[in-house]
Structures are given as structure tokens and as C-alpha cells.
Amino acid sequence: MQIQDLSLSNRALGLLSLSHCHMNSSFAPVHRLSIPGFKLCSKFGFCSSVKRVSTPFGGLRRYGGLVMVSCGVSTNDARDEGRDDGFYVRRCVELARKAIGCTSPNPMVGCVIVKDGKIVGEGFHPKAGQPHAEVFALRDAGDLAENATAYVSLEPCNHYGRTPPCTEALIKAKVKKVVIGMVDPNPIVASSGVDKLRRAGIDVIAGVEEELCKKLNEAYIHQMLTGKPFVTLRYSLSVNGHLLNQLGEGATEFGGYYSKLLQEYDAIIVSSSFIDKYLVPTSQEPGANQPLCVITAVSHSSPIQIPSVGEEAASKLIIFTDKETTVEPVTAQKGIETVVLDGIHLNEILEYCKRRGLYSVLLDLRGSFDELEGLLSNCIEHNMLQKVMVEVLPLWDESNSKSSFVALKSVQKRLKVNNLQPRISHQSIILEGYF
């Protein structure tokens, strides 16, 4: 096994102050919500009970221009007595996650219609430009929506965009109550949906399972509140704290943590030295929208070479380079955009992403650390990082490279990581926290 010889000072996390992190000495199993269900197929994001099955909830599947949905609907003959509002909002979040990577710049939203203690309709927002979760759930419920309770993970919209307001759909359906996970931070919504429903005589409760709903759309919320994309730093470490250039077993395969990560993010930043040696990072999840790959090239003596890619893949590539770096002429012929700057800073890249409507960016420390050093130093000094993800591989690396985090000792700032959580991915441990 070949390991890139990069070392990390201060026991790998010297830049990060890990006080007040929530970690357990053992890894408790994750308890997943399990609801008896029915199999269904829909063109878009609504659920209808057709046939009872015992298989787990499915996800998005694409056939031609249609989006097929397979999810579980609790429409048992027995009433769901004893289940509180939180139960149904958690179900909304579960539904919403079926559209991971498909809704940006819109948020992911799920909706459940409950009447007389039974779920009579479900739906989620499958893609930007298509109807919202409430519309699909109300269609699924039909006439049963009258005098029912609608649960939705995010405040219903109250404005005309590419789709009509969801508040009007709920009022027209004559629901008697709406339970909301969180208020929409979008300034054009911002409680106006709640106010309109209440003026129509509908009972409204907001803030149920609010933290769960916020985590579902953390990039969208950050963009709405700051006007900037949500940035996550990812890197790999050996067990003795050296920076590695590789991923763990199964990480890039279907269902692997890295494959899922690429599905979640709108853009990924990598160094040109990484692209020179490896393929463009690609999610293996079915129907995944591949992230824009931002390639940074700094002070190269030889032209940057991009692997052979198709026309569609080329449209998902962009090169940011300084004036001292040259790009091979064939790159332009492939349709790959190149941006030449005096110096490469994260601000310029994030502004570009913002103009393209990209809300989440993954900064992946692979390839030559020297190329990403300026970006990392810049984003640390200016508080541009929101999240960190570290993969600790079951490897011991005794290499002695000078290219490591020690190069950042000039950065006079320590970052505190909050809510650090561990999980296991095959033989690796994944640490995830927030700045």
C-alpha cells in the first residue's frame, strides 16, 4: 500500500481546539426510525399506498425524464395513537432526505398529512422547479386532507416563484392545523407563511424538532443568513496523525461516505496535482447530481493536464489558476472553463459559486498540500469554514515530508470544533464537527 509522505504537526489537530466536543468511549449504534410501509411509485414527490411491503424505505430513481419514488407510508388500519408531533416531523425529514443533492438552490422539504391518527398523505420536494412537498402530500391525501393536520419540516412558502404558494394550497385543502419544524430564514418567507395560515383560521405550531430540521438544510440556512456558500473542510489522517492522500475502504463506492458526500455538495475544490494523478471525484449514488469540480493550480512550471472527459463532465469542471501557470490548449477545446487570477483566494472561488447558485462547497485536502495551503490559510484567518470532516484510516505512516499542516504555523488562530461526532465507515473512523 502506497502512502503519501505528509506529516501533521501537533498531533494532527493542532489547529483545532477540541474542547467541549461530544465523544463517547464506545460507539453506540445509530437507532433509525422504522415505520411499517407501503410501496409506491410516483412521477415526482408524492406518496400513495398501493401495496404493503416489508422492505426499507427506498429513494429516487430516474427513468427517462421521470423521477420514480419508493418510500414507506404508514397507513395501517390501526391508528397511530400515542405518536406526538415530533414523530411526524421526523418522518418529514426522512422523506425530505430522499431528494439529497437534487433540490439546490432550494431546501429539502418533506410533508406528512395526518387525520384521525393515521397518515393519509406524504410528499417531498424532489427538484428545484417542481412542486413543493406540501403539494404532493395534499395530492396524496386527496379529500382526506380536510380537517387534517399537515406536518412540514420547513415553513410553507407564501410567495410566487416557479411554483404557487404552498400556504394557498393548504388553505384550499381546508386543513385545520399545520405543524412546522422550523421557520424559513429566506427573507421573502420569514414567518409570512405562518402569519397567512393563522389569518385563515388554521392553528399553527412552529419549532418542533427544530435542530433536526436545521441540520437537514444547513447549507441553505447559511446561505440565507450570510449570503455565502457553506464550506466544509475534509482530509484523511493516519492513526499516528500524518496527513494522507487516500480514502478508506469502500469510501468511493456506492453507499460509501465519500460517494454520499459528493452527492450532498454543490461543488468540490481539489488541487491540480490530485487531478493529474487521479480521476475527477464522482459520486456513485444512483441518479446523483455530480458536484462542480473546482481545480486550483498555483505556480506550475509545466502545463496543467486534465484527464479525458466527456462533454457533460467537462461542463462540471472549472480551473482557477494564477498568471504563472499555463493550461494545455486542448483543455479549452474540451469546454472546460479557466479563470486566471493574480492570486488564488477562497473568496474569489466562493463568489463564483454564489453566482452559479451553489450553496455548499467541499474543500478536499488531497494532492499537493502546497497548492491548497494558501486557500486553507486564507479561509482559517477569515472564518470561512463552517464544518470539518476527518477520516482516520487504520494505517501507521512513518514518512517525513515537509509538506504538512506545519506550514500553517504562521496562522495565529486556533479553531474550536463544536459537536464533534464519531462514526465508523468500514475500517475507518469519520469525525464530523462544526466551527
Side-chain angles (χ1 to χ4, degrees), residues 33 35 45 47 72-75 80 84-96 109-115 117-124 133-138 140-141 145 148-154 170 175 177-180:
L33 184 64
I35 308 176
C47 304
V73 184
S74 177
T75 52
D80 299 331
D84 60 6
D85 290 343
F87 174 87
Y88 295 112
V89 174
R90 291 192 294 273
R91 174 59 181 158
C92 290
V93 171
E94 188 174 11
L95 288 168
V109 183
C111 181
V112 174
I113 309 297
V114 178
K115 186 171 187 178
K118 295 191 297 183
I119 293 179
V120 296
E122 291 188 330
F124 62 92
E134 298 91 326
V135 173
F136 284 120
L138 291 171
D140 192 26
T149 298
Y151 293 86
V152 60
S153 55
L154 185 69
L170 291 165
V175 301
K177 183 178 180 180
V178 176
V179 178
I180 298 167

Side-chain angles (χ1 to χ4, degrees), residues 109-289:
V109 183
C111 181
V112 174
I113 309 297
V114 178
K115 186 171 187 178
D116 298 328
K118 295 191 297 183
I119 293 179
V120 296
E122 291 188 330
F124 62 92
H125 178 47
K127 185 179 180 181
Q130 292 188 7
H132 293 180
E134 298 91 326
V135 173
F136 284 120
L138 291 171
R139 290 180 187 174
D140 192 26
D143 293 339
L144 292 176
E146 186 172 353
N147 291 320
T149 298
Y151 293 86
V152 60
S153 55
L154 185 69
E155 177 185 7
C157 65
N158 189 41
H159 61 282
Y160 282 90
R162 284 185 280 185
T163 59
C166 292
T167 50
E168 292 187 2
L170 291 165
I171 294 170
K172 185 177 180 180
K174 299 180 180 179
V175 301
K176 68 175 182 180
K177 183 178 180 180
V178 176
V179 178
I180 298 167
M182 65 168 290
V183 172
D184 193 338
N186 188 338
I188 62 176
V189 183
S191 296
S192 65
V194 171
D195 293 341
K196 182 169 183 177
L197 292 173
R198 285 174 174 162
R199 287 197 300 269
I202 296 174
D203 184 20
V204 180
I205 297 177
V208 177
E209 293 287 352
E210 187 174 29
E211 291 305 314
L212 180 65
C213 294
K214 285 181 177 179
K215 184 172 177 59
L216 173 69
N217 287 304
E218 57 190 15
Y220 168 80
I221 294 170
H222 180 77
Q223 171 69 29
M224 288 296 111
L225 295 179
T226 69
K228 300 176 181 179
F230 184 91
V231 182
T232 295
L233 170 66
R234 195 220 69 86
Y235 56 93
S236 300
L237 294 175
S238 65
V239 291
N240 60 326
H242 288 195
L243 195 66
L244 299 176
N245 196 36
Q246 63 193 82
L247 297 168
E249 176 188 351
T252 61
E253 300 172 1
F254 164 66
Y257 95 90
Y258 191 75
S259 175
K260 290 182 176 179
L261 198 63
L262 294 178
Q263 182 187 28
E264 293 178 16
Y265 280 78
D266 296 333
I268 177 174
I269 302 174
V270 296
S271 71
S272 59
S273 61
F274 171 78
I275 295 297
D276 285 345
K277 298 178 181 178
Y278 304 95
L279 296 176
V280 174
T282 305
S283 173
Q284 301 304 312
E285 305 309 300
N289 287 332

